[in-house]
Amino acid sequence: MAELLIRNSSIGFIKAIIFDKDGTLSNSEEYLLELAKTRIEFSKNEFINLKISGFKIWLLKKLLVAVYGLKNNYLLANGSLAIASRDQNIISTATIFTLFGLDWYESISLGKKIFDEVDIFLSNQKDNNQKSRSLIAGALELLIELKEKGVSIALMTNDTQSGIEGFIYRNKLEGIFDYFWSAENKPSKPNPEAVIELCKRMNLNAS
């Protein structure tokens, strides 16, 4: 069993570690900032096409900036983009749209359309592909060493299962993680019960 040290002081022996993905294993803030700004720009263009007044366009951008958690040129850790799932972000975006006269069905449909178009747009941008895939320095070495020491490794994220698969493939992490918990698992992050349920799946007692 592996011993966990914090600043050279032992806090005990461990059987497993659950890692977050964005902002923990991967340096994703730059990509998420670009994602938010592009979603806002696409939303603005859609409402311009709907002949919304200039003041309402300004207000729309301001509300989306607030709900996504953008401040100056960084991402707030408790904003929806940082911690919520894609589906939850679509819902928060659609809620903003209803404030400008769209009904709920129109708002959800438009939110999904914008998110899909932004995904396609960014996937065709080489620089953004690079931003979304970089592991933080030392992460790969740590994961490999934990694996060699017999520590069970899990990945818990609000990304989708397909997003996890893409992350694994791009970073050549096949065979590293023993368990996954995505936005499609219930309950999802940040509900603490998600950790308890994942520990059950790993046949471990959380302590």
Side-chain angles (χ1 to χ4, degrees):
M1 193 181 300
E3 186 177 16
L4 183 62
L5 303 177
I6 302 295
R7 295 179 179 174
N8 295 321
S9 295
S10 175
I11 63 170
F13 291 88
I14 59 170
K15 295 180 180 178
I17 295 181
I18 301 172
F19 285 96
D20 181 32
K21 178 169 70 68
D22 294 320
T24 302
L25 291 176
S26 64
N27 187 7
S28 56
E29 183 177 30
E30 188 176 1
Y31 172 75
L32 291 175
L33 283 169
E34 192 67 28
L35 178 65
K37 291 174 182 178
T38 309
R39 286 175 178 173
I40 292 169
E41 188 65 22
F42 275 52
S43 298
K44 183 195 78 173
N45 292 337
E46 288 286 345
F47 276 79
I48 288 175
N49 292 335
L50 293 173
K51 309 300 182 184
I52 301 295
S53 70
F55 172 75
K56 288 185 176 179
I57 295 295
W58 173 84
L59 184 58
L60 171 72
K61 292 174 64 176
K62 190 174 182 67
L63 290 172
L64 290 174
V65 164
V67 77
Y68 291 157
L70 306 184
K71 187 171 184 179
N72 299 326
N73 204 34
Y74 67 90
L75 196 64
L76 295 175
N78 60 351
S80 70
L81 200 67
I83 61 175
S85 68
R86 173 189 171 87
D87 286 346
Q88 290 168 339
N89 272 285
I90 289 175
I91 290 171
S92 64
T93 301
T95 302
I96 298 298
F97 291 170
T98 64
L99 301 177
F100 295 88
L102 276 66
D103 65 33
W104 184 245
Y105 177 76
E106 291 172 324
S107 298
I108 282 287
S109 298
L110 183 58
K112 289 179 179 178
K113 173 178 177 287
I114 289 169
F115 276 47
D116 288 342
E117 289 178 349
V118 168
D119 286 348
I120 293 170
F121 175 78
L122 291 181
S123 70
N124 292 324
Q125 307 297 310
K126 183 178 179 181
D127 288 346
N128 280 297
N129 282 330
Q130 292 298 325
K131 292 173 187 174
S132 67
R133 67 178 60 176
S134 58
L135 287 174
I136 64 170
L140 180 59
E141 292 79 3
L142 173 62
L143 292 170
I144 291 173
E145 184 174 358
L146 288 169
K147 194 73 175 177
E148 290 174 346
K149 298 295 184 182
V151 176
S152 185
I153 306 173
L155 184 66
M156 176 176 281
T157 173
N158 257 334
D159 202 348
T160 61
Q161 185 63 37
S162 62
I164 291 175
E165 292 169 0
F167 172 74
I168 298 295
Y169 174 76
R170 288 193 300 268
N171 291 289
K172 298 180 174 59
L173 296 173
E174 291 86 351
I176 291 290
F177 297 99
D178 303 297
Y179 300 90
F180 300 98
W181 196 271
S182 72
E184 292 150 17
N185 293 104
K186 303 301 177 188
S188 60
K189 288 177 57 188
N191 189 332
E193 285 296 320
V195 174
I196 303 299
E197 292 302 316
L198 179 53
C199 285
K200 290 178 182 178
R201 182 175 295 185
M202 298 168 73
N203 294 316
L204 294 170
N205 292 320
S207 61

